[in-house]
Every structure is written in structure tokens, then in C-alpha cells.
Amino acid sequence: MAVCVAVIAKENYPLYIKTLPNENELKFHYTVHTSLDVIEERIHSVSKNTNDLRELYLGLLYPTEDYKVYGYVTNSRIKFIIVIESTNATIRDNEIRSMFRKLHNAYTDMVCNPFYTNGDIIEST
Amino acid sequence: MLSGLSCLLFRLENAFYELAQAYYHHESRVVKAHRDHLNKTTHALLFVRHQFKVAFYNELKQDSHTALKHYRQAYLHLHELRITDYNLLEIKTNSCIVNFKICKLCFEHNTPLDAISQFRRHVDIYKSKIGTADLAFEHSAWMSKQFAVFGDLFEEAIRAGLTAIQTQHPGFYYQEAARYAIARKQLCRGLCPAELKYPASDPLAEADKMEYYGQRPWRQGHQSLEAPSVQKEREGIQALQYRECQVDHSWLVIPLLSSAIAQFKKYKSPRMKRYLVVQMGEEYYHAKDYSKALALLGRVTWEYRSERWWSILTNILQLSLRCAYLVMSFEEYVTVSIELMGRYAQVPREEKIRIQMNLHKIFQDEVPEPEHGCEHDSVEKGRALWTTISAGGKSRSPIVVEMNSITAFVECKACFTADSFLCESPVTVKLGLHSFAPMPIRFSQLSVRFSNEAYNQFGIVVDENAVDDPIESTSYLKPGQTLWHTFQFIVEQDDVDCNLSIAGVDLVLGSLEGCCATLRWTDGGGDAIVHPFATQVHRKKVALNADFSVVSWDVLPSNYSTHISPREANLDVQLLQKGPALVNEFYLMTVSITNTEVAQISNVRTSISVVTAVADAVATAQPNTFLYEDIDLPCSQLISMPLLEELKPNQKVDNVAYVRCVDSGARLMCIQVSYQIPIDISGKMSMCNCMKEITSSIEVCEPFNITVSLTNMKFEKIEKVQLGEAFLSRMEVKCLSPWPVALQGSSLNLAKLVKFADEESLSQLTDVSLKQNDCAVEFRCLLSSGQTPSEIDIGSYSIEWRRVQNGAAVPFASTTVSLPTVEAEPIPLSLHVDMPAYGHMKAVLPLTYLLHNQTPFVQDMEIAMESSEAFMLSGHKQLFFRILPDSQHILRYNLFPLFPGYVTLPRLRVNMVRYSGVLDQLSSVVPTHIFIKPFEKKVSA
């Protein structure tokens, strides 16, 4: 299971960050924030090369000693980040992909809400 | 000599090299031979040792591939050993050395991936092998060392030419090393009690004289799985813990962090770098170097703020606040407090209240409460610093806090109530202050600064009430409430037609006499820094004149620039003209100005200019419209009318001007009238400049349509002219002007190769007057004088004219058209016929043909005169003759008409032997008919 899920706005500010309870939440904020470096670099290198459709799923961004950070960027540059413990070997790439897909669908549903203003912090109940 | 010496040296070197190699080879063979006698169950330790020895000899032999192979073997054997708490340190120490060798050789062989995977395996194997719980810090120290050493190896390889990528570079290893170093520090804190004493027996005395690496000095050479003496074991651990306590861990962490920062900077990871800077700041904080920590943290807050990561920002600010308290940095303390009380700081309300109380105390020259979580002795030092300052009775120097760069608890929005103000009405500025602080707060002064400093005096509000007095007044802000101030003033005449903007807003916290902080916004405050994105775009704009008290604070506009526009002019300006104008004429326009102001105006200046459309300006570089103040004066694109000293109310003046347009189409004229009028601005009379501008369009059309055609002498249209033959030019002038036009005359301006057929050619269109759609036609007889066949340019035709109604006041205008170019062709023979205009019945009609040879050769001619029923004729019926070059032959005939009326002449056939078909050309020139008058009828008496 993922230990942290984050939705980051186009301008790189956090829209939603959820971590496992009783974990050091701030540490995950830093982890998510630093992973934006890699995401930005990937987006830039792709947009420079071709006009082709970019794959939304970016895969493993970088491994740290304890966690694996996966990234996904929508066409409107909303970034989804999922952090998984390195020791957890049971999760495969497909499952990460499907997690992202579900997250994307949930985000799309949320944006469809007429009471939501684009760019606002997301509140989950 | 020298080369000989170096040659010798080289040979000597080779000889030594071979000797050395042979020696190392031999040594490794000895070790290998020894190894064959070994048995895996009893000599497991020796297996490692022998492999390492062989590898090392091979390395010395400079056979690094074989060396790597044996090192790997050694590593495998090491891994197979059984690990206990007592031999763990030895195994780890040895594996560390072997791993270092393997990684180093892999990098040297340019196989960095092998090095990385070896290192990963190494770390994964030993990560969980902590060993004795009391010495856990030793494991962290060892892990930290592994990462740091690998980072160094990696960096060395990069310096030797390896390229790293953003997600795989030495920075990550330094970062991990720092992380383990921090963990080591924490373990040391937990495991080593402060009151620990070094044991009297000194179990570490032998530590420097050990036979084998990684063994405990108090049980050297001991290989069993149990400790030889429990007492000695405990003392040894105690001694190690005591030593660990003496280590300054922060100075192990900080250099690792700074190496990592350098790497992340190099590999384009600004956020990771920032995170490490924060960690470094924290480490300085733990090392009690608070001012350095404060400086480091201050460097990164800006980015977290602009990216709106409030949780991280709050964390950094809280640490900064502690540092600021401990080193008594007044300015930092106030700035950080202001930000932590703000709405974006993720701090509980109680904490905010506490911060606000501390802030309040500072401005009362009292000592603030210490922050939580600080070291006890540091707090004492900090408190002492604060106390000396406040006890000294000296006020601190006032400080300025730049509010645009922080997210403060008080927000300010200043706005002009309109985008532009008329110079005679007062300028209104509305300024709102909104507090997000948990408690009410009082400011002692509010001042608005303008781009023109002269108005600053109008924007000051001072609150005389004591700071802790809860009376509501001009600067007493309650939480969540917006306080509105309105400022009004009249601008000076110098600022008319200029932009006026709010340069800044200053809010003073604390008493003006004592200790105070000025919160300074540049521009009109607002939320440009905090909400640079979405909020401003998506939300509806609030009108500037709306009632701000009912609008939510976040959507309030901030409009900190306005335009001071001049007073609206009250003049009636008209351009009187009767269009359309005609091309090239001097067209009369009248500018009529009527003063509809209530007062007398003075210094009335009028100017007329031609408005050039942008598209026209590009297409035609030449101006096509000229303005004249009077006909005699030179033209220009902009003319000024004479200055009018004064104009009474309802008085009217007319000015005339002329315009001449060189082509047709519409023209836009711009008339500007500027004047001064005395007006009353809040009881003071002052001269106010006003300006009125109108544009008016003039239609311009061509006066004539002139068509030109050429005919031969028989008035038949021709396409070509013949050299030396006369022809007619027909000019038809059709009047298009709606006004009657008088033609003064016309003239032909002939080109070089064309001349008039007669000596004198007078215009047939003198003093002719044409109405619309009237036509005038004239002919001119011309002769082409060229010698060679060519396209010839005839010249141009111009007519002088003016409107009938204008009379003699206006000079004649001239319209010119160019005549067509025609092809002129030579003819070998020209034929002229000389005969009377008409004949009489039964009276002799002489007919002379004159043939002229135009060629430079003798020509054989052949003519035949056909007979005609209408005439009797005498002369050559058929004749052969020759004409010399450029000479004539005359044929004379006498005709005797037999019928009256328009009768056909006998036809003359001319044939030139050399030029057949010349007759066709001639026939157009030769007359074919003549009118024969009948007999006079005698009127009988």
C-alpha cells in the first residue's frame, strides 16, 4: 500500500497530500516536494523533443533508501505522486499504473463539481 | 647523451617492472598453493584472507581484472561466514574494505553500473545487521561511512570523465550518509547517558596496536561465539559509549550535507537542494550556531513561500523563530512572528496567541517568553540578552519589514476608486486593512505614499491611543475584520494628463516614540505575491466603485494606479465644407469655433492636420494631401491657425484653410482646439487647460475623365502610326465634377520624337465651361519624326481649369494625363493625293498622286489605273517606272465627272516590285470617294 499520495497543481503548489497517519507527515511533504525536480526535468525533456502525445505515467522518479516515488502528470500539468515503501516488493508497475488511473478519475470527477474552483485546495471527506 | 640516458632508464624501468611482476606472480602462486590445503569447514576465515591476498598481489601486478575477480571471491566468502554479535564488527570492517576495492576497480573499468549494484547489495546485506543494541550508533556510523566513501568514489569517477544523471549522482549517497550521521547522533543521545564515566580499567588501551582490523581490543584473538568475560564486555561498551559522547556529531553531518548540496545543485534539483539547506540549518541549530541557522533558513523561505508549501514554510519559520529568540535578532523575530500569525501559517490558534503576546511584549520593551523546545542553557543565554536590552532603557532602532515578501497576519489593499479622475474633481483612495491575527491589534500610524510625494500629507492617519487600550479607533484591528480608510485630495495642475500611483503603504506597529516596526508594502499591497495564480484569474472582478464593505476580502480589487485626465472641453468645433473636393484644386474649408463654455476662454489655439491611416502610410511614402493656410503660403501636413487671445461665451469665429489633394478618395482631417479657462476648484480659481479634438472627413473626386485616341487623317481609328505620316490625336474630356468647371485651355507637351504637323497648334478648348457629364473633344494633328520603327511616347496632355463658382479668387488647377505610346512603323513608299475637296459635273477635276520613295534604294514601280464609270479620265493607264532613293514621282490625271453625288474615284493600284502588298498599307491613306456637285439648278424667274 502507498504511504503517501499527493496532488500537485500546475504551478507546483500542493492541492492535496495524504499520508499514513502516525507517520512523520512533514518528511513526506519534503519527499513529494523534492520529487518535483525530477518531474519538471522529465516534462521539459519531453516537450523539447517532440510534439507527440506524452505518456502521462512517468514511472519511478527516484529511489531513496526507504521509499520509492512514482509520478504521473496529466495533460493539464496536474501532478500525481505516490510514495511506496522500498521494502514493499509486492506492488508491481501495473498496480501503480492502475492506482494512478483511479486517482486521475477521482480528480476528474472532483473538477467536474461546479462548486469547486480550479486551483483551490482539495478537501477530502 | 640525454636521450641515451633516458633510453637506459626506460630499459632499467622495464627490467625492474618485469622483476616486480614476476615477484608478485610468484607470491600469489605461493598463496594459491597454500590455499589448496585448506578445508572449507575449519578454515572459512582463511579463505577470505587468501582471496584478498591474491587479489592484492594481482593489483600490485597491475592486473586489475584478475584482482577484481579475487576481490569478488573474497567478498562472497566473507558473506558466507556466520555472523554473531561478537564477530560482526570484524566482518563489517573487512567487508567495507573489500567492497571499497571492488567499487573502486569497477569505476576504474568504466562499469559504473556494476559498482552501483555491488554497493546496493553491500548496503542491503548489512543494513539490518545492527549488532549489539547498546552500540547501535556504531552501526549508523559505519553505514554513514559506507555511503560517504561511495559518494567520494563516484565523484572521483565523474571527475575522471564519467557522466551522471539527475536521478543517479553522488549527491544521493552524501545525503544518505548525512541521514545515517543524524541517526547516529540521535542514537548516541538515547544510548549514552551524560553522566557516563570512562572505566578505570581502560579496555580500549590496546586499540591502536591490534593485530587484526575490527576486533574488540578487550577480547583480541578470541574466536568463540560467547564473550570471554561479561564484566570486560560491559566495560568495553561503556568505554565506547563514553568516546561516542565526545564526538561532535553536527560537524560530521554538516560537511556531508554541504557536499550533497553541491551535487544536487550541479544536477538541477533545486528543491532537493533547498531541502538539504533546511536540514543543514537544523543541524546548525542543533550545533547551537543559531545565527548561521537563521541565515540558512532565511535563504530558502522565499521559494517555499512562492510555491505555497505552507506546511514546510511553517516548519521552517518555527525553527527560525526559535533561533531569532535565542540570538535576540529583533528584526528577524518580528518578521517571523508577523508571518507565523498570518493565515497561511499552519499553527494552532493557541500558538498564534502566544506569538502575538510575545510580539506585544517586545513593543512594550518587555522580554518575550522563550520558545518551546529550545536547549535549556541556550534559553538562559537568550533571556539574558533580551533582559539586558530592555533593562538598558535604550529603545531599539526602528526597523522596516518588507510586507510584499512575506505572508503577514495583516493584509492591505489600497485602491483608487476609479481608473481615471478629472482634474477638477478630488482623487479618492480607499485603503483596507484586514487582520488575520488571533487577537485585536493596534497600529500607531498608517501612511500612504504616492508617486508624487506632494500628496503624502493627505494619506496619514495617526492613532494616539495607548497600544493596550481596547478602544475602537482608526487603527484598531479586530481579527477577521476589515478597517476602511478613505483619503481625498485635489491634484495639482502639473499632474494633469499624468498617471498617479500609490508608491507604498506604511503601517507602524509599536509606539512611534519608543520601539517600533514599520510594515511596508510597495504599491498598493494586495495579494500579488501570495496569489500569483488562479484566484485572480477565475474570480469575478469587483467594480471599483462598489461598496467594499460587503465584498469578501479575497476578491477585493487592488488598483494602485490612476490617470488624471484633463477637464472635458466645452466647445463647438465644426469643419464647414461643401464636398466633394476635386483632385488638385485648392479646396476651401472653414473651421468654425463656438464657445459654449460659461466663462470667457483665452489662448485659443487651433490646428489642422491630416490623419494618415497606418495602411496608407506604409503604401505611399509620398504625402498625397497638402494643407495651405493661404494659397500663397507654403504647404505642410499640419497648419496652425492664428492665436485667438480670447473668446467670449457664445461667440463664434471662423477660420479658413485650403487643402489640395493629388489623388481621389476620402481624407480625414483632425482639428484640435486648445484653450484655457478659469475654473473654481474647491473655492480656488485656477486656469485649467482644455482641449477639443474633432475629426472630419472630406471626399475627393476626379474632376474629369480624359480619354485619348489616335486616328489617321481620315478620322479612322488606328493602332499604329507610320513614320513620316501625319496622324490625329483625339482628346475627349468628360466632366465628372458636380460643379460647373471652366476650362482655361489645354496644352500638349510632346515628346522628343513627335512634333506638330503644323507650325502652330492652338488649343481648341479655351474658355469652355462644362457641366457634369458634358464632353469636350479636340483634335491635334501630329507627325512622328523618328527614323526607325519603335514604340514612341507621344507626350502628355494637360488642361487648366477652375470651378466656375470660385471666380478669379482661386488659381487655375491643372489636370494632366499622359498620352498613349504607339508603335511607329516605317513605310517604303508614301503616297499623297492632291485633289480638290469636291468636283463639278462635267468640269475638269485634276488629280495628282505624289509617290515618295522612303527607302535608300532605287525602286521599281508598277501602277495601273482602273477605269470608273463615273469618270472619263486622261493620264497613264498603266506605267512602269523607277524612283530614285528619297525622291518623288508625280502622276497627274485629269478626271471628267459624269455623275453627281458621292462617287467612287477610279482606283489606283500601286505595286512595288520589292515590297509586295504595300498597297494594303497605302489604301488606308488614299481617298476613295469624292463628292461631285450636280449642275446648278437654274431658278426660273
Side-chain angles (χ1 to χ4, degrees):
Chain A
M1 202 181 112
V3 290
C4 176
V5 173
V7 181
I8 309 294
K10 181 168 165 260
E11 296 86 0
N12 288 339
Y13 64 91
L15 291 173
Y16 179 78
I17 298 189
K18 187 80 182 168
T19 55
L20 278 193
N22 64 38
E23 286 272 352
N24 182 0
E25 201 174 316
L26 192 69
K27 185 179 73 183
F28 286 113
H29 281 233
Y30 276 118
T31 309
V32 170
H33 186 243
T34 48
S35 68
L36 291 176
D37 283 335
V38 185
I39 293 185
E40 293 243 298
E41 194 67 21
R42 297 248 179 117
I43 294 174
H44 278 298
S45 61
V46 169
S47 59
K48 251 182 270 169
N49 290 344
T50 50
N51 297 326
D52 298 348
L53 277 179
R54 176 174 55 84
E55 219 211 321
L56 303 179
Y57 176 60
L58 297 182
L60 181 66
L61 296 179
Y62 66 93
T64 63
E65 212 46 31
D66 303 328
Y67 301 105
K68 285 179 183 160
V69 185
Y70 292 87
Y72 182 96
V73 181
T74 69
N75 286 322
S76 53
R77 296 276 159 100
I78 303 289
K79 291 128 192 151
F80 300 134
I81 291 165
I82 290 179
V83 184
I84 295 197
E85 281 181 317
S86 290
T87 48
N88 191 340
T90 53
I91 297 184
R92 296 178 187 288
D93 203 49
N94 291 2
E95 291 165 58
I96 306 264
R97 271 176 200 269
S98 81
M99 264 156 85
F100 274 123
R101 220 167 292 128
K102 278 182 199 158
L103 189 60
H104 196 170
N105 287 342
Y107 177 78
T108 318
D109 288 348
M110 198 250 345
V111 171
C112 291
N113 179 355
F115 295 104
Y116 174 77
T117 317
N118 211 358
D120 277 359
I121 303 295
I122 300 168
E123 276 163 33
S124 163
T125 49
Chain B
M1 180 71 190
L2 196 67
S3 66
L5 184 64
S6 69
C7 182
L8 283 174
L9 281 174
F10 183 69
R11 277 160 59 188
L12 199 59
E13 187 193 330
N14 267 346
F16 278 138
Y17 181 68
E18 274 164 26
L19 272 177
Q21 270 198 328
Y23 171 74
Y24 289 128
H25 185 68
H26 173 72
E27 284 295 315
S28 74
R29 290 296 289 266
V30 169
V31 176
K32 273 184 189 164
H34 190 229
R35 196 188 59 187
D36 294 341
H37 304 296
L38 296 180
N39 160 337
K40 222 171 189 179
T41 47
T42 51
H43 302 109
L45 293 176
L46 284 179
F47 266 91
V48 181
R49 183 184 172 84
H50 282 106
Q51 286 294 352
F52 187 84
K53 273 189 174 176
V54 172
F56 192 70
Y57 283 132
N58 274 305
E59 207 182 345
L60 286 174
K61 217 181 106 188
Q62 299 186 352
D63 183 359
S64 64
H65 285 277
T66 319
L68 180 61
K69 198 179 88 192
H70 288 287
Y71 278 131
R72 281 190 193 278
Q73 278 294 323
Y75 192 84
L76 280 179
H77 288 308
L78 197 58
H79 183 44
E80 283 163 7
L81 291 178
R82 190 173 158 210
I83 297 174
T84 65
D85 275 1
Y86 300 104
N87 70 358
L88 179 62
L89 181 68
E90 192 177 354
I91 289 179
K92 281 205 287 196
T93 310
N94 287 314
S95 69
C96 162
I97 295 168
V98 179
N99 176 60
F100 171 79
K101 285 284 184 192
I102 295 174
C103 292
K104 190 174 156 68
L105 288 176
C106 282
F107 276 125
E108 270 173 23
H109 294 163
N110 204 12
T111 50
L113 290 180
D114 286 353
I116 290 169
S117 65
Q118 160 65 27
F119 181 72
R120 284 245 59 87
R121 206 162 56 229
H122 176 63
V123 167
D124 287 342
I125 291 170
Y126 292 101
K127 193 158 61 175
S128 52
K129 308 269 193 308
I130 296 169
T132 320
D134 287 338
L135 294 175
F137 54 82
E138 226 175 23
H139 175 71
S140 295
W142 183 82
M143 287 297 283
S144 171
K145 196 79 196 162
Q146 300 307 300
F147 278 103
V149 165
F150 187 75
D152 286 341
L153 274 179
F154 201 162
E155 206 191 336
E156 209 169 281
I158 286 169
R159 237 177 274 135
L162 186 72
T163 45
I165 54 168
Q166 194 194 27
T167 50
Q168 188 59 261
H169 59 78
F172 287 102
Y173 299 96
Y174 288 129
Q175 191 196 5
E176 275 306 308
R179 206 168 65 94
Y180 275 105
I182 293 170
R184 175 186 175 185
K185 182 185 67 186
Q186 283 158 352
L187 286 170
C188 167
R189 289 258 168 91
L191 293 172
C192 311
E195 62 276 7
L196 203 67
K197 290 266 175 4
Y198 192 73
S201 57
D202 193 3
L204 302 181
E206 303 282 304
D208 296 334
K209 300 173 227 160
M210 307 262 293
E211 194 183 347
Y212 297 105
Y213 287 115
Q215 290 191 344
R216 298 296 187 191
W218 61 87
R219 45 176 162 84
Q220 265 194 84
H222 187 85
Q223 285 193 14
S224 83
L225 299 182
E226 295 300 319
S229 154
V230 180
Q231 169 68 22
K232 264 195 177 175
E233 191 69 29
R234 199 181 309 123
E235 279 183 359
I237 289 173
Q238 204 179 345
L240 285 173
Q241 286 180 339
Y242 178 80
R243 280 209 174 167
E244 183 70 13
C245 278
Q246 308 305 310
V247 177
D248 189 349
H249 294 94
S250 293
W251 291 108
L252 295 174
V253 176
I254 289 168
L256 286 173
L257 282 174
S258 79
S259 310
I261 288 171
Q263 294 295 328
F264 279 106
K265 194 174 174 185
K266 193 167 151 195
Y267 294 101
K268 289 189 220 157
S269 304
R271 291 181 185 85
M272 187 60 110
K273 189 194 123 200
R274 239 176 281 150
Y275 173 41
L276 292 169
V277 171
V278 173
Q279 283 190 324
M280 203 159 157
E282 281 171 359
E283 208 47 55
Y284 272 113
Y285 172 77
H286 291 308
K288 297 185 185 170
D289 191 345
Y290 300 117
S291 47
K292 204 139 191 189
L294 198 57
L296 275 174
L297 294 176
R299 251 171 33 197
V300 292
T301 46
W302 168 254
E303 273 93 0
Y304 285 114
R305 191 181 295 121
S306 64
E307 285 200 324
R308 303 167 71 191
W309 283 75
W310 305 125
S311 52
I312 294 177
L313 180 67
T314 308
N315 179 255
I316 296 172
L317 288 176
Q318 281 175 320
L319 191 62
S320 303
L321 188 64
R322 273 182 234 163
C323 294
Y325 173 79
L326 294 173
V327 296
M328 211 221 59
S329 165
F330 179 58
E331 190 172 345
E332 294 285 339
Y333 191 83
V334 172
T335 311
V336 173
S337 297
I338 286 174
E339 188 155 19
L340 272 177
M341 280 158 65
R343 57 166 148 170
Y344 298 109
Q346 312 219 314
V347 175
R349 192 180 139 78
E350 298 73 43
E351 180 71 6
K352 284 191 181 178
I353 293 176
R354 196 183 63 79
I355 293 168
Q356 190 173 357
M357 293 329 266
N358 277 338
L359 199 62
H360 184 75
K361 277 185 181 165
I362 287 186
F363 290 111
Q364 299 291 304
D365 278 341
E366 286 171 27
V367 180
E369 292 295 318
E371 297 297 318
H372 305 305
C374 299
E375 295 268 341
H376 184 69
D377 49 342
S378 303
V379 168
E380 288 306 317
K381 269 187 221 160
R383 200 200 301 276
L385 283 172
W386 287 96
T387 319
T388 38
I389 293 290
S390 67
K394 268 193 293 174
S395 286
R396 295 182 194 89
S397 50
I399 56 160
V400 173
V401 180
E402 292 296 338
M403 299 297 271
N404 286 54
S405 53
I406 61 172
T407 54
F409 73 90
V410 55
E411 289 181 10
C412 158
K413 280 186 183 179
C415 103
F416 287 103
T417 53
D419 285 328
S420 71
F421 288 94
L422 290 178
C423 69
E424 77 246 39
S425 59
V427 171
T428 312
V429 177
K430 273 193 177 179
L431 188 139
L433 290 172
H434 191 94
S435 168
F436 293 94
M439 309 271 279
I441 193 160
R442 181 185 304 284
F443 296 96
S444 48
Q445 183 184 311
L446 166 69
S447 51
V448 186
R449 287 173 290 118
F450 293 95
S451 54
N452 183 344
E453 290 173 6
Y455 307 129
N456 287 0
Q457 48 170 324
F458 300 109
I460 296 182
V461 178
V462 181
D463 195 333
E464 300 285 353
N465 293 300
V467 174
D468 41 4
D469 201 354
I471 302 173
E472 288 204 25
S473 67
T474 47
S475 313
Y476 188 70
L477 248 78
K478 285 191 191 157
Q481 267 191 355
T482 310
L483 199 63
W484 285 104
H485 292 282
T486 308
F487 305 105
Q488 276 198 329
F489 53 90
I490 301 285
V491 290
E492 287 161 17
Q493 282 299 310
D494 298 345
D495 281 339
V496 172
D497 226 9
C498 293
N499 283 331
L500 182 66
S501 59
I502 298 172
V505 179
D506 287 354
L507 192 60
V508 179
L509 188 62
S511 62
L512 279 172
E513 296 79 32
C515 157
C516 68
T518 306
L519 316 186
R520 174 163 292 167
W521 285 272
T522 50
D523 300 336
D527 48 8
I529 302 296
V530 186
H531 300 286
F533 329 117
T535 45
Q536 285 178 337
V537 183
H538 296 296
R539 301 215 162 109
K540 260 187 271 167
K541 245 192 144 168
V542 177
L544 291 174
N545 50 8
D547 181 7
F548 288 167
S549 54
V550 298
V551 182
S552 140
W553 174 256
D554 283 339
V555 297
L556 280 177
S558 62
N559 171 40
Y560 42 84
S561 177
T562 193
H563 186 78
I564 307 298
S565 40
R567 183 179 172 277
E568 215 159 296
N570 214 349
L571 273 191
D572 186 25
V573 180
Q574 281 181 326
L575 182 70
L576 303 174
Q577 43 113 2
K578 280 183 238 131
L582 303 177
V583 171
N584 261 342
E585 76 166 334
F586 283 96
Y587 181 63
L588 181 83
M589 302 181 292
T590 308
V591 179
S592 159
I593 301 168
T594 315
N595 181 5
T596 50
E597 296 272 8
V598 285
Q600 170 174 314
I601 60 173
S602 54
N603 282 332
V604 186
R605 287 170 203 277
T606 313
S607 68
I608 307 180
S609 58
V610 184
V611 181
T612 323
V614 179
D616 288 0
V618 176
T620 56
Q622 294 275 322
N624 56 8
T625 312
F626 303 96
L627 290 167
Y628 297 83
E629 209 180 323
D630 201 353
I631 289 163
D632 315 329
L633 296 173
C635 65
S636 72
Q637 293 292 299
L638 179 131
I639 55 170
S640 309
M641 301 273 176
L643 172 73
L644 266 175
E645 289 291 343
E646 53 192 32
L647 198 63
K648 293 193 178 62
N650 290 324
Q651 194 186 345
K652 183 182 170 188
V653 280
D654 288 346
N655 281 314
V656 294
Y658 293 92
V659 63
R660 192 166 67 86
C661 307
V662 296
D663 55 15
S664 60
R667 298 289 191 285
L668 260 189
M669 297 289 158
C670 171
I671 299 147
Q672 287 187 331
V673 184
S674 68
Y675 62 96
Q676 288 185 319
I677 181 164
I679 54 161
D680 177 15
I681 300 173
S682 56
K684 200 177 80 181
M685 293 299 282
S686 66
M687 293 304 275
C688 187
N689 291 319
C690 293
M691 175 139 97
K692 175 89 176 180
E693 185 177 306
I694 63 157
T695 52
S696 180
S697 156
I698 294 177
E699 198 64 37
V700 182
C701 65
E702 291 282 351
F704 305 109
N705 181 15
I706 301 174
T707 44
V708 179
S709 56
L710 300 179
T711 64
N712 62 15
M713 296 307 280
K714 285 159 73 185
F715 297 101
E716 289 167 348
K717 270 213 165 157
I718 53 170
E719 300 298 324
K720 297 172 184 173
V721 297
Q722 287 160 350
L723 287 173
E725 291 288 318
F727 63 93
L728 293 171
S729 167
R730 177 183 190 273
M731 275 75 66
E732 181 178 324
V733 179
K734 184 174 181 187
C735 177
L736 298 176
S737 154
W739 326 106
V741 172
L743 300 186
Q744 149 83 4
S746 65
S747 59
L748 264 180
N749 190 6
L750 293 179
K752 213 164 50 190
L753 293 176
V754 184
K755 60 183 190 217
F756 289 114
D758 306 314
E759 293 285 296
E760 190 177 19
S761 175
L762 291 174
S763 167
Q764 293 146 1
L765 294 178
T766 41
D767 291 333
V768 178
S769 165
L770 296 176
K771 291 207 255 327
Q772 190 168 16
N773 290 333
D774 281 357
C775 254
V777 181
E778 74 171 320
F779 282 92
R780 300 286 186 108
C781 189
L782 303 174
L783 196 66
S784 65
S785 59
Q787 293 300 321
T788 48
S790 58
E791 283 274 316
I792 56 167
D793 176 25
I794 300 176
S796 63
Y797 177 67
S798 60
I799 48 179
E800 302 269 304
W801 56 273
R802 68 176 161 212
R803 290 189 192 197
V804 173
Q805 72 203 46
N806 280 0
V810 180
F812 289 104
S814 121
T815 301
T816 304
V817 289
S818 54
L819 298 175
T821 56
V822 291
E823 202 180 314
E825 55 180 12
I827 44 169
L829 181 79
S830 70
L831 183 96
H832 289 273
V833 183
D834 199 5
M835 66 174 191
Y838 54 87
H840 290 278
M841 274 290 286
K842 306 214 171 146
V844 172
L845 177 71
L847 187 65
T848 311
Y849 292 98
L850 199 140
L851 289 101
H852 190 128
N853 179 6
Q854 303 273 21
T855 61
F857 310 105
V858 177
Q859 296 291 345
D860 288 323
M861 299 297 295
E862 187 180 300
I863 60 142
M865 193 67 165
E866 289 178 1
S867 60
S868 164
E869 285 183 0
F871 298 97
M872 290 200 296
L873 122 156
S874 72
H876 297 291
K877 273 266 174 133
Q878 196 170 22
L879 187 65
F880 297 91
F881 57 91
R882 284 182 174 170
I883 314 180
L884 292 175
D886 204 26
S887 59
Q888 295 179 344
H889 187 90
I890 299 171
L891 293 171
R892 292 179 204 280
Y893 292 94
N894 284 324
L895 300 184
F896 191 74
L898 299 177
F899 299 122
Y902 199 61
V903 294
T904 317
L905 282 170
R907 198 161 160 213
L908 178 74
R909 288 181 178 277
V910 182
N911 189 24
M912 288 176 89
V913 178
R914 287 201 194 159
Y915 297 88
S916 57
V918 79
L919 189 74
D920 302 337
Q921 288 176 30
L922 290 177
S923 63
S924 63
V925 191
V926 179
T928 51
H929 292 80
I930 192 165
F931 186 74
I932 304 298
K933 283 188 170 180
F935 292 119
E936 258 179 277
K937 273 202 178 153
K938 295 278 186 329
V939 180
S940 55

